[in-house]
Amino acid sequence: MKKDHQKHIAIFASGKGSNAQAIIDYFKDNDHIKIALIVTNNKEAGVIQIAKDHRIPFDIVSSKELKDEEILDMLDVYEIDLIVLAGFLLLVPAFLVKAYPDKIINIHPALLPKHGGKGMYGKYVHEAVLADKDTESGITIHYVNEHYDEGTYIAQIRCHVESGDTVETLSARVHQLEHEHYPKEIEKLLTS
Ligand code: GRF
C-alpha cells in the first residue's frame, strides 16, 4: 500500500542495471519516493539480482507480454506514478504511452537527436560518436513516445570526447553522468 503523498517508480531495464542501482541508492532514505517495481524483458539481466538484493518486486515480461494490456493491471497494483526506462531495449507500446502521458521517461547515452533510434544502444552509440569524430557527447533524458528516442527532452548534459577515447572510456564517462543526473531529474519530476 502506498503511503500518503508517496510516489511510486517502476524501473524498466534489460541489462546490467547500473542506472537502476544508482536510482535505488539515491532514493533509499527518501520517504516520499519509492522504487516499487522492476520490470525486465531479459531473464539474464543483472537488474534482477539488484531487485532481489533490495527486496524490490520484479517481473520478467516477454516482448509479447509487454504488448498485452494486462501489464496495466500490474502497474495499477503497484500504484506506479512514473515509469523510468534505464537501458530498456523494447519499444514501449502505444497503449502504455497513452495510459501514462508524460509519465514515462528514458535516458539515452548521447546527445539526441544524433545517434538515436532503433538499434542505437550501448556500445553502438559510443562507436557512432567516435566514428563521427564528435568532440562532445553526453546524455539525454526525455519523455517517451511511440518511437525510439523521440520524445520531448527533459535534460541534456554534455561531456568532452577526449582524443584517444575508446568505446570503454567514453562509455564510462557517460555512465558516470547518467548515475549522477538521472536520479536528480527523476526527483525534480516527482516533486515539482
Ligand atoms: C545506459 O547507457 C542508458 O543510457 C542506455 O542503456 C544503458 C544501460 O546501462 N539506455 P545500465 O544497464 O544501467 O548499466
Side-chain angles (χ1 to χ4, degrees):
M1 256 296 258
K2 202 185 224 173
K3 290 190 214 157
D4 273 355
H5 308 301
Q6 202 175 41
K7 299 285 186 184
H8 279 186
I9 294 172
I11 298 177
F12 283 34
S14 303
K16 200 165 118 223
S18 71
N19 277 283
Q21 182 70 67
I23 295 164
I24 292 164
D25 290 345
Y26 186 85
F27 290 112
K28 70 177 185 314
D29 297 321
N30 189 317
D31 219 26
H32 301 288
I33 297 175
K34 178 178 164 186
I35 318 308
L37 177 67
I38 290 183
V39 175
T40 185
N41 63 308
N42 173 10
K43 60 180 183 354
E44 310 292 337
V47 76
I48 295 174
Q49 190 57 46
I50 293 174
K52 288 179 181 166
D53 290 346
H54 294 274
R55 297 177 199 282
I56 298 170
F58 65 92
D59 196 36
I60 304 171
V61 295
S62 64
S63 59
K64 189 162 167 272
E65 282 163 343
L66 183 70
K67 292 185 196 125
D68 187 326
E69 300 206 7
E70 267 182 31
I71 197 165
L72 294 175
D73 299 339
M74 179 173 65
L75 296 169
D76 269 355
V77 166
Y78 289 97
E79 301 177 85
I80 299 303
D81 298 287
L82 184 71
I83 298 173
V84 171
L85 309 188
F88 189 62
L89 297 184
L90 300 182
L91 188 65
V92 175
F95 73 83
L96 196 48
V97 174
K98 212 166 151 211
Y100 284 82
D102 290 345
K103 300 280 181 230
I104 310 179
I105 64 171
N106 182 42
I107 190 161
H108 186 77
L111 300 172
L112 291 173
K114 272 196 102 176
H115 312 305
K118 188 169 165 54
M120 288 304 279
Y121 62 90
K123 69 172 186 152
Y124 302 108
V125 175
H126 305 303
E127 275 171 5
V129 169
L130 294 174
D132 276 10
K133 303 199 181 335
D134 292 352
T135 54
E136 57 175 15
S137 188
I139 62 173
T140 305
I141 297 167
H142 63 94
Y143 290 108
V144 168
N145 67 16
E146 300 83 350
H147 307 283
Y148 281 110
D149 302 327
E150 277 191 14
T152 308
Y153 301 160
I154 298 165
Q156 284 194 306
I157 297 116
R158 289 157 196 275
C159 64
H160 287 294
V161 178
E162 312 287 351
S163 64
D165 257 340
T166 61
V167 167
E168 288 71 30
T169 57
L170 181 57
S171 161
R173 194 172 310 122
V174 169
H175 256 107
Q176 219 175 347
L177 278 188
E178 296 187 322
H179 300 162
E180 183 186 344
H181 293 278
Y182 206 15
K184 289 182 191 160
E185 293 298 329
I186 292 167
E187 185 173 34
K188 276 195 231 163
L189 288 175
L190 289 175
T191 50
S192 62

